[in-house]
Amino acid sequence: MEIQLSLIVWTVICFVLLSIILNKMLFKPVISVIDKRKKRIENANAKETLISQEKNRCEQLYAARLDEAKKRAESEKALVEDAARGSASAKLREEQAARTEAIAEFNRKTELEESEYRDALLIGAAKLATDFVASITAQTDKKNA
């Protein structure tokens, strides 16, 4: 068996040319698509973090308002109980009823605000997830087509 130098040279030349062609036409575009997808995922994660932080802030605000309302309700309840025992006048009872009504209204408003915050956060998160899935699906369909 004889080693043919020309065959080795042509094999090396073909390998180098194939490597150059594959690098330009396959490897670079695939890496570019992967990098773009990675950036989109990072952006989606950053948006999710912001939404999560806003949700936590709203929950803390709601909890603080709820605690405040509970404390007011307890103090009002104590006053109402004193009034019921006969230690307060009729005018005081009317004031207590008005305060109790105000607390109930405050609680209703707080619950409504909480509901609105949660709905807004859920809508935002759902939209973000839908956009992300749609973009990935579109790219996959484009790639398969």
Side-chain angles (χ1 to χ4, degrees), residues 67-119:
D67 288 342
E68 181 182 326
K70 285 180 181 178
K71 287 177 184 176
R72 286 183 187 170
E74 287 174 7
S75 67
E76 296 295 328
K77 181 181 177 184
L79 290 174
V80 169
E81 287 173 354
D82 287 344
R85 290 185 192 129
S87 64
S89 67
K91 185 177 181 181
L92 182 59
R93 288 183 189 135
E94 290 176 10
E95 289 175 2
Q96 295 305 322
R99 288 181 186 165
T100 304
E101 176 82 22
I103 290 172
E105 180 63 27
F106 177 77
N107 286 340
R108 284 192 292 273
K109 286 182 182 178
T110 304
E111 288 174 3
L112 180 63
E113 286 177 3
E114 177 194 25
S115 174
E116 290 172 357
Y117 281 128
R118 285 187 182 175
D119 290 347

Side-chain angles (χ1 to χ4, degrees), residues 8-21:
I8 293 173
V9 169
W10 279 111
T11 303
V12 169
I13 290 173
C14 288
F15 178 76
V16 169
L17 286 175
L18 182 63
S19 296
I20 291 171
I21 291 170

Side-chain angles (χ1 to χ4, degrees), residues 22-108:
L22 285 177
N23 189 34
K24 288 187 178 187
M25 298 193 76
L26 179 67
F27 300 138
K28 286 184 181 179
V30 168
I31 290 172
S32 174
V33 168
I34 290 171
D35 288 341
K36 287 177 184 176
R37 182 178 291 169
K38 184 178 180 181
K39 286 179 184 177
R40 261 188 280 121
I41 290 170
E42 288 172 354
N43 288 339
N45 286 340
K47 287 180 183 178
E48 186 274 333
T49 302
L50 290 175
I51 289 171
S52 178
Q53 289 173 351
E54 179 65 17
K55 179 188 78 82
N56 290 338
R57 186 188 69 78
C58 291
E59 286 177 351
Q60 289 174 352
L61 178 64
Y62 171 74
R65 286 183 178 177
L66 188 61
D67 288 342
E68 181 182 326
K70 285 180 181 178
K71 287 177 184 176
R72 286 183 187 170
E74 287 174 7
S75 67
E76 296 295 328
K77 181 181 177 184
L79 290 174
V80 169
E81 287 173 354
D82 287 344
R85 290 185 192 129
S87 64
S89 67
K91 185 177 181 181
L92 182 59
R93 288 183 189 135
E94 290 176 10
E95 289 175 2
Q96 295 305 322
R99 288 181 186 165
T100 304
E101 176 82 22
I103 290 172
E105 180 63 27
F106 177 77
N107 286 340
R108 284 192 292 273

